């Protein structure tokens, strides 16, 4: 461990560009994935036909390891960064959508009845009842999505890239430079923990203001 920490300091200028590439892939794909997941969850919970039509495909995305879809994405999209953040988005989207739908469906019927008795509009009910009640589930999905996003990014890099954390771990392991490989592993662990913690912090800030 001490050798790895020393490498992080000595070679940080070489390590950081690859780390930054992975961070960009995670952030872009994650934002796209959770945006689609939340939007589609709100759409499907208001339309049962759409939910029944699309749910099997969402389950397919959840149970299918995204790493096996990367070669197909490469055939369609080439070898650029688009493949990586698409893989991240496909990993983040299903779990966020399912969790948001669970939150929306679990809103108490008494709250809707109260809003009806107050003659609230659908828009008022949406913002005053549905969104506040579903927020905990939404953030649960978003926190779980951070785990899927980071693993998907590194997995996609291992298959379709030569820059980023994944290829560097593979390269330095192949040449038995274990201290440098572990330096990249440490950076990946740090990114994952900080990402997960950040979403939890945002959740706490929003819930405190409810």
């Amino acid at each position: 461990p001490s050798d790895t920490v020393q490498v992080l300091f000595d070679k940080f200028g070489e390590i950081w560009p690859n780390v930054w590439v992975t961070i960009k892939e995670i952030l872009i794909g994650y934002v796209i994935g959770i945006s689609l997941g939340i939007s589609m969850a709100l759409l499907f919970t208001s339309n049962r036909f759409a939910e029944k039509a699309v749910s099997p495909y969402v389950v397919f995305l959840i149970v299918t390891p995204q790493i096996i879809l990367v070669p197909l994405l490469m055939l369609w999209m080439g070898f650029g960064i688009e493949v990586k953040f698409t893989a991240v988005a496909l990993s983040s989207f299903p779990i966020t959508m399912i969790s948001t739908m669970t939150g929306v469906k679990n809103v108490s019927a008494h709250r809707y009845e109260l809003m009806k008795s107050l003659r609230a509009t659908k828009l008022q009910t949406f913002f005053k009842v549905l969104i506040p009640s579903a927020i905990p589930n939404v953030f649960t999905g978003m926190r779980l999505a951070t785990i899927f996003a980071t693993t998907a990014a590194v997995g996609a890099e291992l298959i379709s890239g030569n820059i980023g954390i994944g290829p560097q771990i593979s390269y330095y392991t192949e040449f038995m430079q274990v201290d440098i490989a572990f330096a990249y592993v440490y950076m990946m662990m740090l990114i994952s923990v900080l990402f997960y913690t950040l979403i939890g912090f945002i959740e706490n800030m929003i819930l405190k203001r409810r």
Side-chain angles (χ1 to χ4, degrees):
S2 59
D3 290 344
T4 300
V5 173
Q6 187 62 46
V7 166
L8 278 171
F9 284 102
D10 294 343
K11 296 183 175 290
F12 188 77
E14 175 187 330
I15 292 172
W16 174 249
N18 289 290
V19 172
W20 177 239
V21 169
T22 301
I23 291 174
K24 286 193 295 184
E25 294 165 358
I26 293 171
L27 290 178
I28 294 172
Y30 180 79
V31 170
I32 294 173
I34 65 169
S35 298
L36 283 174
I38 295 172
S39 300
M40 295 185 71
L42 295 174
L43 172 64
F44 294 154
T45 48
S46 61
N47 188 320
R48 291 184 179 180
F49 176 78
E51 179 184 355
K52 290 181 179 180
V54 176
S55 289
Y57 300 102
V58 175
V59 173
F60 168 78
L61 286 175
I62 292 175
V63 300
T64 302
Q66 297 306 307
I67 195 169
I68 69 175
L69 296 179
V70 173
L72 294 176
L73 294 175
M74 289 167 58
L75 290 176
W76 298 328
M77 307 176 70
F79 294 85
I81 193 174
E82 295 84 0
V83 174
K84 286 82 168 183
F85 67 68
T86 300
V88 173
L90 289 175
S91 297
S92 306
F93 152 71
I95 192 67
T96 305
M97 176 181 161
I98 294 296
S99 187
T100 302
M101 289 177 66
T102 301
V104 172
K105 290 179 178 180
N106 287 341
V107 177
S108 173
H110 296 296
R111 296 189 177 187
Y112 288 121
E113 291 173 3
L114 176 61
M115 295 301 285
K116 286 181 180 180
S117 67
L118 296 174
R119 297 182 180 179
T121 63
K122 289 185 178 180
L123 197 60
Q124 289 174 323
T125 302
F126 180 81
F127 285 106
K128 297 293 184 179
V129 174
L130 193 148
I131 293 297
S133 299
I135 278 179
N137 288 86
V138 173
F139 274 100
T140 297
M142 290 173 63
R143 278 188 279 112
L144 291 173
T146 63
I147 301 170
F148 286 89
T150 51
T151 54
V154 175
E157 287 175 346
L158 285 169
I159 295 177
S160 67
N162 54 12
I163 56 173
I165 291 177
Q168 302 310 311
I169 293 174
S170 178
Y171 174 81
Y172 286 110
T173 301
E174 183 177 351
F175 287 94
M176 300 301 291
Q177 293 179 280
V178 181
D179 52 350
I180 304 178
F182 266 102
Y184 280 102
V185 172
Y186 284 8
M187 291 301 296
M188 191 67 241
M189 291 167 60
L190 180 62
I191 291 170
S192 301
V193 171
L194 289 177
F195 195 13
Y196 187 91
T197 304
L198 175 62
I199 299 301
F201 175 76
I202 295 172
E203 178 184 9
N204 290 333
M205 293 295 293
I206 291 177
L207 292 179
K208 285 180 180 178
R209 296 180 179 181
R210 288 175 58 185

